[in-house]
Amino acid sequence: MKVFKVKGIKIFYDEKLDGGGTFFGQLYVPIVRKLVGKSKTCFEAFSGPAFIGFSLLANNLCEELVVADINPEAINYIKLTVNENNLSRKVRYYIADVLEGIPESERFDLVVGNPPHFNESTIKEFCRIYGVECSNAIEMLKAYDPGWKLHKRFYDSIHKFLNKGANIILVENSEGSSEKDFIEFIQKGGLKYVKTIHPTLDDIAEAYYIFIKGFDIKVGIPKVVKHLPISVFRPLFLLGAKTYKPAKELVSLYSKFYFIYSKYN
């Protein structure tokens, strides 16, 4: 069992359940802050251990959090996080197949999520590039959406759970898709496609800062960085992104991810 810490909240998880929530998932914090600010009820779909949702809660970007995942093991870790952080009054969780299993009484003001990013035309290349066995059930649960069926089901039904004016922001990977793959689903689901958001250098700097501070690293550069305020870390990171090869590569990695922003009017 591992722990990822965000502003006092300890998020418990097993490494195999992390589909990128500790890493690129933290881009949600600066993006949600700029785009919509604080919401009353946030929902994280496809949540895994709910790194994204708990990070939004820790950063005061939602008052209460609802999370759902199909994997009971992920929900067990969420229960542990809720209990260990005394969050039972702020967090609700469900075992759900996309949205099936969530009570119809639930209503959300902000929906976020890290769904599988690859379909049948891109999954083999993903497995090759990242050295993943395509026969690995857990890895495929995190990465593979054949025919974009999960996305279709999500966009077909999410309107049933939304308050008027709700914002829906899903993270996707440009190696596996483009916004053109999803705009039709959004519109058929009764939502309005607003725009596609690509992370800025400032967004990447803050997400990486959260990532580094989230782990209990006691050696090397990360140990030093953990004790720097974001006001000091950000300009150093931006300078490194222009002159330091590892920082440039890190920016390139984060830049593969984009966010589909839609609204329910």
Side-chain angles (χ1 to χ4, degrees), residues 14-261:
D14 185 296
E15 192 169 10
K16 69 176 182 290
L17 298 176
D18 184 1
T22 58
F23 186 58
F24 62 81
Q26 296 308 312
L27 288 165
Y28 268 107
V29 173
I31 286 174
V32 167
R33 187 188 296 116
K34 290 188 299 184
L35 202 62
V36 300
K38 186 176 182 177
S39 300
K40 184 178 187 301
T41 304
C42 298
F43 170 58
E44 183 181 356
F46 316 99
S47 71
F51 299 109
I52 296 167
F54 284 120
S55 292
L56 293 177
L57 191 65
N59 280 276
N60 198 34
L61 290 170
C62 53
E63 294 180 18
E64 58 183 21
L65 174 66
V66 180
V67 299
D69 195 89
I70 194 173
N71 188 345
E73 185 178 1
I75 298 300
N76 285 337
Y77 278 108
I78 289 168
K79 290 180 182 178
L80 181 60
T81 298
V82 169
N83 291 336
E84 291 294 319
N85 292 278
N86 297 313
L87 292 172
S88 59
R89 294 184 179 181
K90 291 187 175 183
V91 181
R92 300 185 293 281
Y93 45 82
Y94 302 101
I95 296 175
D97 183 359
V98 185
L99 299 171
E100 294 177 13
I102 299 173
E104 294 183 0
S105 58
E106 288 285 7
R107 291 294 182 274
F108 313 130
D109 302 294
L110 171 67
V111 177
V112 298
N114 177 22
H117 293 163
F118 300 87
N119 66 0
E120 60 275 16
S121 66
T122 55
I123 189 64
K124 290 183 179 178
E125 185 66 5
F126 162 79
C127 292
R128 184 189 67 80
I129 291 174
Y130 293 98
V132 173
E133 291 290 336
C134 282
S135 58
N136 185 309
I138 290 292
E139 291 299 329
M140 291 303 99
L141 185 64
K142 294 186 292 185
Y144 187 33
D145 184 8
W148 300 127
K149 291 180 181 179
L150 295 177
H151 283 78
K152 289 178 183 177
R153 289 172 58 200
F154 170 82
Y155 283 119
D156 277 346
S157 300
I158 190 62
H159 69 276
K160 300 175 185 177
F161 303 93
L162 299 178
N163 287 320
K164 186 175 181 180
N167 299 286
I168 305 92
I169 310 170
L170 294 192
V171 63
E172 304 289 351
N173 187 332
S174 60
E175 290 182 329
S177 66
S178 75
E179 64 267 33
K180 295 178 182 178
D181 292 311
F182 308 119
I183 291 175
E184 184 178 351
F185 304 160
I186 291 168
Q187 294 170 340
K188 284 185 175 180
L191 308 176
K192 178 185 177 182
Y193 165 73
V194 179
K195 61 180 176 179
T196 298
I197 301 158
H198 297 275
T200 65
L201 271 177
D202 274 343
D203 297 334
I204 293 170
E206 183 169 353
Y208 188 55
Y209 181 77
I210 296 170
F211 171 77
I212 290 175
K213 288 183 73 68
F215 296 104
D216 189 18
I217 301 171
K218 296 184 171 68
V219 296
I221 293 176
K223 177 186 176 182
V224 177
V225 169
K226 281 171 67 74
H227 297 288
L228 293 177
I230 184 66
S231 59
V232 174
F233 174 81
R234 181 179 278 112
L236 291 176
F237 182 87
L238 298 181
L239 177 62
K242 297 177 181 179
T243 61
Y244 184 47
K245 184 178 179 181
K248 290 180 180 179
E249 292 173 348
L250 186 68
V251 169
S252 178
L253 181 58
Y254 271 108
S255 297
K256 294 177 183 179
F257 299 96
Y258 66 97
F259 294 76
I260 298 285
Y261 177 30

